[in-house]
Amino acid sequence: MEKPLTINDFEPLVGSEFYVPYIDREGNHSSLTLTEATKTGNPHPGRTEPFSLLFEGPKALALDQGTYLLRHDSLGDLTIFIVPIAESGDIRQYQSIFN
């Protein structure tokens, strides 16, 4: 059984890129940059500490809310549920919450 991911797995990766093997309308692959890893509360007994991740990517990527495969050099392949939360200029921001 794999160990659950924790904020400690992501904090050192803030600023790094996560490859998204998703092809946009123009046939391009893209990546999301991890911009923030934040603790979101106190853990329940026997559970890992809840945390939130914020990612930024190009507005053109336009991922809908859903589960996506993300690849990172250090963590390998991860399946993460992300939600688009904001847009500004050419940037789209996404959030993932781990309870």
Side-chain angles (χ1 to χ4, degrees):
M1 178 181 223
E2 292 182 32
K3 79 172 188 76
L5 294 168
T6 69
I7 192 167
N8 295 330
D9 295 312
F10 291 98
E11 283 179 324
L13 304 178
V14 170
S16 69
E17 303 232 349
F18 286 72
Y19 174 72
V20 183
Y22 169 88
I23 301 173
D24 67 15
R25 292 177 206 171
E26 287 79 40
N28 300 314
H29 295 277
S30 194
S31 62
L32 299 175
T33 301
L34 179 63
T35 58
E36 189 176 301
T38 308
K39 295 176 185 178
T40 59
N42 295 317
H44 294 284
R47 291 185 158 183
T48 59
E49 185 171 38
F51 63 97
S52 167
L53 302 177
L54 294 181
F55 295 94
E56 286 186 352
K59 189 173 180 178
L61 182 59
L63 298 173
D64 292 325
Q65 174 176 309
T67 303
Y68 292 90
L69 176 67
L70 303 180
R71 292 185 175 137
H72 191 273
D73 292 339
S74 298
L75 296 177
D77 288 354
L78 306 170
T79 303
I80 296 180
F81 185 80
I82 60 173
V83 177
I85 59 169
E87 291 181 18
S88 178
D90 292 339
I91 301 294
R92 188 178 304 255
Q93 192 174 46
Y94 301 90
Q95 183 176 34
S96 180
I97 297 175
F98 293 76
N99 289 324

